[in-house]
């Protein structure tokens, strides 16, 4: 690498030009880089969602889920298949391996699903494949002024929808809470009987009407003209006047009223509202689209009368906030690192030479990110924030060595190049080691790879750029700015040298202390709660009221409105969005829920303690005794912080599954920290089934007649104010008991016959949820855990499942929040092992020996001592990002040991091992401490700053890195020399004996003389 330094001195003009180009290209790349919330990542999953309003869960399972599962079971690349069948909906999730082309997979699933024949009352299934570009940009609510007719509201809704879709960069626009006008015809059975008119006669009232027919062209009054026939029913009053028999109008025998049909209900702060969820197109810039939507909303509010549109949440605001927050922390980190260097070097010019690596490295990094097609998001900015302290490390080592040589020798270009050459090998290997730690992230699976790879690339680009700057620009600037510099010689501390000598003479003492500290830190870590969900600083809450599946819809809605009033009256709450029911628009995005589940999005005012508010909301539980009330911290962008753990019981025998699930619930209930435990088998709903005697009636004909009696029936449409409104005849009969169901009369071959004569009515209690795995039924047991005890509860549940004696053929699988954590931790653990292997390989190649790198590797367990201590002192529990910080430490802490051992190897050419170790420790102490303090100082803003959800850069990561680095730096200077001398014990002992005998001989010779 020293050749680079020599080349830079031979091409000064080119280096100056390259520096200017790097800075300019960095600025241009920053302005051009697309700003996103998260990196582009495909979710390796395809969801098929079908809605069948009015169908019970078992019907959906048998008539919808089963045929769909059979159709898609052999899709290429599929790894597993899960499905959920509930009242009125069915959803199938297909997971794929990481090599699958997800666009092709989605197309194949769509083709297979399109071939499946489903019941007439089930909507065409929606096929969805999610990726991060589909994260909504804006959530927009729309309310109307009082007094607007349904037709006016509908027209304004269409106008707003069209304008949102036309917004530059906008992609899908889904709508929930919208109602569509319809005309309800309610037959009056008494008046129909008096007039002698059958109900069926009303079905043909619009037949032959609504005509628009062209009769052709004729010459009339001397000129050509067209003849048309129009027959339009244009209002409800006209519809009432239509004849159904001689002298009898529709209005005489039926109530005809304008109504509105609503798939799902959305309310904003107690008022009916429409909610738009707007996502961006794949190649659009999130920030620009967010701004464009805001402009569209402002324009609509100004131009369209009678509406109030508002953006309740915008991802683009979060992106800007996140970018600004990260940039602020990067700049603060750079400032702190500069101050540290100035304090240590006590030379402004030397400090200037060192910190030039920060803007240059960042400029090169931004340019490389643009070339790599990586966006500017919270992950990549997190990589810059983490790397900024490390950007000056190579330059510090170079400038410190040049500066130290200048204190002893006169200035010359040769001195600069020689001083750089002395440390070139050390900084190159230490930088490559750090980069090597991050590159195995490409081996992680699925979405974890998509999130961590941009982070790894950012850090790798930053560090490689800083190495390049340290070997070219720093020596060149040193030759310019430090010319004529003659500083007072800075000798190594004699006290520190004596301390190292004592430790080398009494190795067992420091080594035993280090082992005890390491064992204590591992013990402390094992007993720490992991992954606890701290929600105190959450900005949003997700509140849910779940009623039993047999609860009437009007009761559910009334309870929802009552709870909504309680929430909106709370002074800590900014706004409340209430949602109930399923809609086709929501199903497009795979969002389907129980018809008896009411959800509330709650936005908190700034500074409110979310944990305290959640506890207050939970006190309302007693006011809704029939319902289950759950409150979780939520992020409308990234999803809620669920603390549920589920155990899937699978096997062939349904009775064994049910028995095992009951035993499992009994075993989990007593566990401390478990708030509630239930299974999908517990939620039952009454199902009434007519078992028709095939000798007395045809089941198909009976079903069609009952369907027309009990369900709304479309009989045509009318034109009103330019829009087509469906006309629906409501059921004549509304039975409210089993006895009334049996009295229903149907037409058979023998004439009108009560249902009780041709069929047996059987009532059963059926589950309102069915789960399938690979097409086979399984039972899910769900445990809600105390968020702060999530990992502990997860461990206890795992123990309970292992202790359970299972029947043959029955198996248990634990999943949910704690299992996700364990999976992520396991992935990172494997990555850490691979990284350690690569680090060791690079060091063996650098030092050309197996033993010296082992001494360097001892710094890794030393870092664990500080990382755990940092977590204990701060009271922060280890989570995924803390584990990620531990992975980063592998690359960061070994750099100090490399710099130390590199000096030892140079000294061994002229010194014995022990003296080489003492000299290296005292000489390299200053650059090692400087780089460590600079890195720690640069990461301090991450400890005290605020972080957007979804970022892998968090307070716990910074605490782990800082604690680990501080401990490793202090102990590296003491323990690594001890371990190194132990590895070369024979050679060192022989050298000391030779020195002792030589000294003894010299002393004897001097006495004789």
């Amino acid at each position: 690498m020293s050749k680079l330094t020599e080349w830079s001195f031979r091409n000064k003009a080119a280096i100056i030009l390259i520096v200017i180009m790097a800075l300019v290209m960095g600025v241009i790349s920053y302005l051009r880089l697309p700003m996103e919330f998260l990196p582009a990542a495909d979710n390796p999953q395809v969801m098929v969602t079908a809605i069948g309003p009015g169908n019970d869960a078992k019907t959906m399972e048998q008539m919808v889920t089963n045929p769909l599962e059979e159709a898609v079971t052999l899709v290429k690349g599929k790894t597993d298949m899960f499905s959920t069948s509930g009242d009125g909906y069915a959803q199938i999730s297909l997971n794929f391996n990481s090599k699958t082309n997800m666009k092709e997979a989605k197309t194949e699933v769509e083709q297979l699903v399109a071939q499946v024949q489903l019941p007439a009352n089930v909507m065409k299934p929606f096929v969805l494949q999610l990726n991060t570009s589909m994260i909504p940009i804006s959530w927009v609510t729309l309310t109307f002024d009082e007094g607007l007719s349904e037709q006016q509201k509908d027209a304004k809704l269409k106008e707003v929808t069209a304008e949102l879709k036309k917004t530059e960069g906008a992609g899908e626009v889904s709508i929930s809470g919208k109602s569509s006008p319809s005309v309800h015809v309610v037959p009056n059975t008494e008046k129909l009987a008096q007039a002698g008119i059958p109900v069926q006669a009303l079905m043909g009232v619009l037949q032959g009407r609504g005509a628009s027919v062209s009769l052709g062209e004729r010459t009339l009054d001397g000129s050509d003209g067209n003849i048309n026939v129009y027959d339009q029913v244009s209002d409800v009053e006209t519809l009432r006047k239509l004849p159904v028999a001689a002298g009898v109008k529709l209005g005489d025998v039926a109530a005809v009223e304008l109504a509105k049909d609503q798939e799902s209900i959305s309310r904003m702060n107690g008022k009916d509202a429409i909610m738009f969820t707007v996502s961006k197109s794949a190649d659009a810039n999130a920030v620009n689209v967010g701004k464009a939507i805001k402009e569209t909303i402002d324009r609509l509010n100004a131009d369209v009368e009678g509406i109030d549109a508002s953006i309740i949440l915008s991802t683009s605001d979060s992106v800007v906030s996140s970018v600004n927050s990260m940039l602020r922390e990067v700049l603060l980190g750079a400032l702190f690192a500069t101050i540290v260097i100035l304090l240590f070097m006590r030379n402004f010019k030397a400090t200037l030479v060192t910190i030039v690596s920060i803007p240059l490295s960042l400029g090169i990094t931004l340019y490389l990110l643009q070339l790599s097609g990586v966006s500017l998001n919270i992950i990549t900015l997190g990589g810059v924030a983490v790397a900024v302290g490390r950007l000056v490390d190579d330059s510090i080592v170079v400038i410190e060595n040049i500066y130290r040589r200048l204190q002893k020798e006169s200035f010359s270009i040769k001195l600069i190049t020689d001083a750089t050459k002395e440390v070139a090998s050390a900084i190159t290997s230490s930088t490559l080691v750090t980069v090597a730690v991050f590159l195995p992230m490409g081996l992680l699976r699925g979405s974890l790879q998509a999130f961590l790879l941009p982070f790894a690339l950012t850090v790798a680009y930053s560090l490689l750029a800083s190495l390049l700057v340290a070997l070219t620009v720093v020596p060149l600037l040193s030759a310019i700015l430090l010319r004529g510099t003659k500083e007072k010689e800075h000798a190594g501390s004699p006290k520190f040298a004596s301390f190292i000598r004592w430790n080398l003479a009494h190795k067992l003492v420091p080594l035993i202390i280090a082992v005890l500290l390491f064992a204590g830190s591992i013990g402390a870590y094992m007993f720490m709660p992991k992954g606890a969900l701290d929600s105190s600083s959450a900005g949003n809450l997700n509140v849910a009221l779940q009623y039993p599946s047999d609860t009437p819809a009007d009761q559910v809605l009334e309870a929802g409105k009552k709870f909504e009033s309680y929430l909106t009256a709370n002074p800590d709450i900014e706004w409340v969005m209430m949602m109930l029911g399923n809609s086709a628009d929501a199903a497009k995005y795979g969002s389907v829920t129980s018809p008896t589940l009411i959800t509330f999005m709650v936005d908190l005012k700034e500074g409110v303690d979310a944990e305290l508010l959640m506890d207050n909301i939970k006190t309302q539980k007693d006011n809704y005794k029939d319902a289950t009330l759950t409150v979780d911290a939520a992020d409308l962008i990234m999803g809620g912080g669920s603390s549920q753990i589920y155990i899937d019981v699978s096997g062939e025998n349904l009775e064994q599954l049910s028995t095992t699930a009951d035993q499992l619930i009994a075993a989990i209930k007593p566990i401390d920290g478990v708030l509630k435990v239930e299974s999908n088998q517990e939620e039952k709903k009454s199902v009434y089934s007519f078992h028709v005697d095939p000798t007395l009636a045809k089941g198909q004909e009976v079903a069609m007649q009952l369907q027309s009696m009990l369900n709304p029936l479309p009989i045509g449409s009318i034109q009103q104010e330019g829009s087509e409104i469906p006309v629906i005849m409501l059921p004549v009969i509304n039975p409210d008991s089993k006895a009334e169901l049996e009295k229903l009369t149907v037409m058979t071959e023998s004439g009108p016959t009560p249902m009780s004569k041709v069929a047996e009515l059987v009532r059963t209690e059926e589950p309102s949820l069915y789960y399938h795995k690979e097409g086979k039924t399984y039972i899910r047991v769900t445990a809600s855990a105390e968020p702060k005890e999530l990992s502990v509860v997860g461990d206890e549940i795992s123990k309970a499942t292992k202790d359970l004696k299972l029947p043959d053929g029955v198996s248990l699988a634990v999943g949910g929040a704690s299992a996700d954590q364990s999976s992520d931790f396991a992935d990172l653990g494997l990555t850490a092992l691979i990284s350690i292997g690569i680090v060791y390989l690079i060091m063996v190649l650098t030092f050309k020996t197996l033993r010296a790198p082992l001494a360097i590797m001892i710094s890794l367990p030393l870092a664990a001592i500080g990382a755990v201590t940092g977590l204990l002192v701060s009271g922060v529990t280890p989570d995924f990002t803390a584990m990620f910080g531990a992975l980063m430490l592998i690359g960061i802490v070994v750099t100090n040991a490399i710099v130390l051992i590199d000096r030892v190897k140079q000294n061994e050419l002229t010194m014995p091992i022990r003296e080489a170790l003492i000299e290296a420790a005292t000489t390299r102490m200053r650059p090692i401490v400087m780089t460590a303090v600079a890195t720690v100082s640069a990461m301090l803003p991450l400890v005290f700053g605020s972080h957007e959800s979804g970022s892998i850069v968090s307070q716990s990561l910074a605490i782990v890195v800082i604690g680990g680095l501080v401990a490793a730096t202090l102990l590296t200077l003491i323990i690594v020399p001890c371990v190194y001398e132990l590895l070369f014990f024979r050679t060192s002992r022989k050298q000391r004996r030779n020195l002792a005998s030589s000294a003894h001989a010299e002393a004897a010779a001097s006495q004789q003389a």
Side-chain angles (χ1 to χ4, degrees):
M1 298 302 285
S2 58
K3 299 285 184 188
L4 270 173
T5 309
E6 293 169 8
W7 180 86
S8 67
F9 275 96
R10 290 196 304 270
N11 298 276
K12 293 177 185 176
I15 292 293
I16 293 168
L17 188 60
I18 290 169
V19 167
I20 294 169
M21 286 174 64
L23 292 172
V24 171
M25 288 307 296
V27 172
I28 293 171
S29 297
Y30 173 73
L31 296 174
R32 285 187 175 180
L33 274 169
M35 280 190 185
E36 302 294 344
F37 192 76
L38 290 170
D42 267 331
N43 184 13
Q45 185 185 64
V46 174
M47 283 195 292
V48 182
T49 308
I51 298 180
N55 288 323
D56 65 286
K58 193 167 187 66
T59 302
M60 291 301 292
E61 181 203 33
Q62 293 175 346
M63 304 298 292
V64 181
T65 305
N66 288 346
L68 286 174
E69 283 180 335
E70 285 176 22
V72 300
T73 191
L74 296 177
V75 172
K76 283 184 292 186
K78 178 179 74 68
T79 55
D80 48 46
M81 174 173 68
F82 295 88
S83 71
T84 305
S85 307
D87 288 337
Y89 71 90
Q91 188 168 70
I92 301 167
S93 296
L94 303 164
N95 296 324
F96 292 82
N97 61 46
S98 55
K99 296 177 183 176
T100 305
N101 182 318
M102 292 312 299
K103 287 182 176 59
E104 291 178 4
K106 181 190 176 187
T107 303
E108 186 180 354
V109 172
E110 281 176 330
Q111 290 170 350
L112 292 168
V113 166
Q115 296 169 15
V116 179
Q117 291 292 322
L118 296 177
N121 61 345
V122 175
M123 290 184 195
K124 181 183 173 185
F126 299 102
V127 179
L128 174 71
Q129 192 273 311
L130 289 169
N131 58 59
T132 52
S133 66
M134 296 172 72
I135 292 175
I137 290 296
S138 297
W139 282 264
V140 179
T141 58
L142 176 68
T143 55
F144 299 102
D145 289 352
E146 298 290 336
L148 290 179
S149 69
E150 291 302 318
Q151 288 75 23
Q152 289 173 322
K153 288 180 183 178
D154 189 49
K156 292 180 189 298
L157 172 60
K158 285 178 180 175
E159 185 177 354
V160 172
T161 306
E163 289 299 317
L164 284 173
K165 286 182 176 178
K166 283 194 298 185
T167 304
E168 189 176 352
E172 289 284 338
V173 178
S174 77
I175 309 168
S176 61
K178 69 176 179 180
S179 60
S180 50
S182 63
V183 177
H184 287 179
V185 176
V186 185
N188 187 316
T189 49
E190 289 183 11
K191 290 182 178 179
L192 283 168
Q194 288 172 9
I197 301 170
V199 175
Q200 286 77 6
L202 303 188
M203 294 170 61
V205 71
L206 285 169
Q207 196 169 351
R209 291 185 169 84
S212 177
V213 182
S214 175
L215 303 180
E217 190 176 351
R218 289 287 185 275
T219 302
L220 301 170
D221 296 329
S223 61
D224 285 347
N226 292 87
I227 305 172
N228 297 331
V229 173
Y230 289 108
D231 169 22
Q232 297 289 351
V233 180
S234 56
D235 54 50
V236 175
E237 192 54 42
T238 304
L239 181 62
R240 290 192 185 105
K241 293 175 182 176
L242 295 181
V244 291
V248 180
K249 300 172 187 173
L250 178 63
D252 296 336
V253 291
V256 182
E257 300 295 341
L258 192 64
K260 59 177 182 178
D261 293 327
Q262 211 162 1
E263 284 182 312
S264 62
I265 294 167
S266 292
R267 289 167 62 84
M268 181 71 176
N269 287 339
K271 288 177 69 176
D272 284 339
I274 310 257
M275 185 155 125
F276 299 90
T277 307
V278 187
S279 60
K280 70 180 188 67
S281 55
D283 56 348
N285 183 308
V287 175
N288 292 343
V289 176
K291 288 178 181 174
I293 289 170
K294 188 177 185 308
E295 288 170 6
T296 300
I297 294 301
D298 290 342
R299 189 179 71 252
L300 285 168
N301 281 326
D303 297 347
V304 182
E305 291 183 7
I307 68 162
D308 179 20
S310 59
I311 299 172
I312 61 170
L313 189 83
S314 175
T315 312
S316 62
D317 292 343
S318 298
V319 173
V320 172
S321 168
S322 173
V323 169
N324 291 340
S325 171
M326 281 296 179
L327 282 177
R328 185 171 63 250
E329 283 159 16
V330 166
L331 293 173
L332 280 172
L335 175 64
F336 290 166
T338 304
I339 293 168
V340 168
I341 296 164
L342 186 59
L343 290 173
F344 272 90
M345 302 292 286
R346 294 191 293 276
N347 184 303
F348 181 75
K349 289 181 179 179
T351 303
L352 191 63
V353 172
T354 308
I355 63 167
V356 76
S357 63
I358 294 177
L360 264 179
S361 300
L362 290 178
I364 295 168
T365 301
L366 290 168
Y367 178 60
L368 291 174
L369 287 177
Q370 188 186 6
L371 289 181
S372 304
V374 177
S375 64
L376 204 61
N377 53 66
I378 60 174
I379 305 293
T380 48
L381 280 166
V384 174
V386 165
V388 72
R390 183 69 181 75
L391 292 182
V392 291
D393 282 12
D394 294 342
S395 296
I396 284 174
V397 174
V398 170
I399 195 68
E400 198 278 337
N401 206 43
I402 293 171
Y403 197 61
R404 188 177 53 77
R405 289 279 297 268
L406 281 172
Q407 290 170 339
K408 298 178 182 178
E409 306 167 40
S410 299
F411 177 87
S412 68
I413 298 297
K414 190 174 185 307
L415 179 147
I416 301 287
T417 54
D418 286 350
T420 306
K421 188 176 180 180
E422 272 182 23
V423 294
S425 174
I427 64 172
T428 301
S429 58
S430 65
T431 300
L432 290 177
V433 157
T434 312
V435 170
V437 168
F438 290 97
L439 290 186
M441 290 175 187
L443 302 175
L444 292 171
R445 64 187 182 189
S447 58
L448 203 57
Q449 181 201 51
F451 283 107
L452 295 188
L453 193 56
F455 183 93
L457 287 175
T458 306
V459 175
Y461 290 157
S462 302
L463 298 185
L464 291 172
S466 73
L467 174 64
L468 193 64
V469 172
L471 292 172
T472 56
V473 179
V474 169
L476 203 58
L477 275 176
S478 300
I480 297 168
L481 294 177
L482 301 182
R483 185 181 294 274
T485 300
K486 186 66 181 175
E487 295 291 335
K488 182 182 176 183
E489 189 173 342
H490 175 80
S493 168
K495 288 182 180 179
F496 183 69
S498 301
F499 178 66
I500 296 296
R501 191 180 296 278
W502 185 89
N503 279 285
L504 290 170
H506 306 84
K507 294 182 192 67
L508 280 178
V509 176
L511 289 175
I512 288 171
I513 291 172
V515 169
L516 289 174
L517 286 173
F518 178 68
S521 64
I522 295 300
Y525 175 78
M526 297 302 289
F527 287 101
M528 289 175 74
K530 297 165 192 70
L533 301 174
D534 178 18
S535 307
S536 56
S537 59
N540 299 94
L541 299 182
N542 193 8
V543 184
L545 267 182
Q546 174 71 70
Y547 274 88
S549 56
D550 58 356
T551 311
D554 56 346
Q555 286 184 28
V556 175
L557 180 58
E558 282 307 310
K561 288 180 178 178
K562 178 184 170 186
F563 194 73
E564 178 188 50
S565 300
Y566 162 77
L567 291 174
T568 51
N570 193 307
D572 293 336
I573 292 174
E574 190 72 39
W575 51 257
V576 178
M577 185 83 190
M578 172 182 147
M579 286 175 291
L580 169 65
N582 293 316
S583 68
D585 271 307
K588 284 180 190 174
Y589 289 88
S591 176
V592 283
T593 61
S594 164
T596 55
L597 173 68
I598 316 158
T599 57
F600 301 89
M601 288 185 204
V602 179
D603 186 63
L604 310 186
K605 290 182 178 174
E606 203 162 328
V608 172
D609 186 327
E611 290 276 5
L612 194 62
L613 181 58
M614 285 163 69
D615 290 338
N616 288 340
I617 293 173
K618 286 173 187 174
T619 60
Q620 293 294 303
K621 200 174 287 187
D622 293 339
N623 296 334
Y624 304 87
K625 290 179 181 176
D626 294 336
T628 302
L629 173 63
T630 55
V631 188
D632 287 310
D635 186 322
L636 301 186
I637 300 162
M638 297 300 298
S642 171
S643 57
Q644 286 192 333
I645 301 161
Y646 55 78
I647 307 96
D648 294 338
V649 186
S650 53
E652 299 290 339
N653 189 312
L654 289 177
E655 285 186 17
Q656 286 183 343
L657 294 185
S658 186
T659 305
T660 305
D662 292 339
Q663 291 173 353
L664 189 60
I665 290 170
I668 292 173
K669 269 184 180 175
I671 294 173
D672 288 338
V674 172
L675 304 176
K676 184 182 179 184
V677 59
E678 59 187 347
S679 82
N680 61 296
Q681 292 287 302
E682 291 179 359
E683 183 68 28
K684 303 271 187 180
K685 186 176 184 179
S686 297
V687 177
Y688 295 86
S689 305
F690 282 110
H691 293 264
V692 178
D693 186 337
T695 62
L696 299 175
K698 295 177 182 177
Q700 186 71 34
E701 290 178 359
V702 169
M704 289 178 68
Q705 291 180 64
L706 290 177
Q707 204 163 34
S708 64
M709 282 187 217
L710 301 174
N711 295 314
L713 196 67
I715 59 173
S717 61
I718 65 171
Q719 290 285 333
Q720 186 165 323
E721 296 182 12
S723 60
E724 192 172 275
I725 300 175
V727 179
I728 297 166
M729 189 167 77
L730 296 187
V732 181
I733 303 163
N734 189 20
D736 56 9
S737 67
K738 185 180 176 183
E740 287 194 20
L741 271 176
E742 289 175 323
K743 288 177 185 175
L744 293 176
T745 302
V746 291
M747 291 297 295
T748 64
E749 290 178 357
S750 56
T753 310
M755 280 301 300
S756 57
K757 299 289 185 184
V758 295
E760 180 188 0
L761 184 58
V762 178
R763 176 186 170 180
T764 55
E765 293 294 318
E766 301 284 353
S768 56
L769 271 180
Y770 288 91
Y771 292 113
H772 286 186
K773 180 180 180 180
E774 302 304 332
K776 294 179 180 177
T777 301
Y778 70 94
I779 296 174
R780 173 163 290 180
V781 175
T782 305
S784 299
E786 185 65 47
K788 293 187 182 299
E789 298 172 26
L790 181 59
S791 65
V792 178
V793 172
D795 290 342
E796 290 296 322
I797 288 175
S798 295
K799 287 177 190 172
T801 58
K802 286 172 186 172
D803 294 342
L804 211 63
K805 290 183 181 178
L806 302 176
D808 291 339
V810 175
S811 61
L812 302 179
V814 181
S818 67
D820 291 343
Q821 286 180 353
S822 301
S823 173
D824 288 345
F825 284 12
D827 282 345
L828 281 181
L830 177 62
T831 306
L833 289 174
I834 295 169
S835 298
I836 289 169
I838 295 172
V839 166
Y840 185 62
L841 175 63
I842 291 172
M843 289 190 293
V844 168
L845 291 170
T846 303
F847 294 106
K848 298 176 178 59
T849 174
L850 290 170
R851 284 187 288 177
L854 285 175
I856 294 171
M857 298 298 283
I858 201 68
S859 59
L860 294 179
L862 301 180
I865 298 168
V868 175
T869 305
L871 291 171
L872 285 171
V873 170
S874 63
V876 174
T877 56
D879 55 9
F880 173 77
T881 58
M883 292 296 291
F884 189 68
L887 176 63
M888 287 175 53
L889 274 177
I890 296 170
I892 294 173
V893 300
V894 294
T895 58
N896 289 335
I898 289 172
V899 170
L900 176 65
I901 297 302
D902 177 71
R903 180 71 180 186
V904 172
K905 283 296 181 186
Q906 290 177 30
N907 289 345
E908 281 183 30
L909 299 173
T910 56
M911 301 179 191
I913 288 176
R914 181 164 290 188
E915 295 307 315
L917 286 166
I918 294 167
E919 194 281 339
T922 51
T923 303
R924 289 287 162 89
M925 181 184 75
R926 190 163 77 148
I928 285 173
V929 172
M930 277 177 68
T931 54
V933 175
T935 304
V936 167
S937 301
M939 294 202 77
L940 283 175
L942 296 178
V943 176
F944 303 106
S946 60
H947 308 284
E948 295 295 331
S949 57
S951 176
I952 54 175
V953 178
S954 68
Q955 186 186 49
S956 56
L957 178 144
I959 287 168
V960 165
V961 172
I962 289 172
L965 186 54
V966 169
T969 301
L970 296 175
L971 293 173
T972 292
L973 293 166
I974 302 165
I975 305 299
V976 170
C978 294
V979 173
Y980 185 89
E981 192 174 51
L982 271 179
L983 291 169
F984 296 92
F985 183 71
R986 289 182 182 176
T987 307
S988 180
R989 184 172 60 181
K990 187 178 177 181
Q991 288 172 347
R992 291 199 305 277
R993 282 176 180 173
N994 290 341
L995 280 172
S997 60
S998 296
H1000 184 69
E1002 284 179 14
S1006 64
Q1007 284 176 1
Q1008 288 174 2

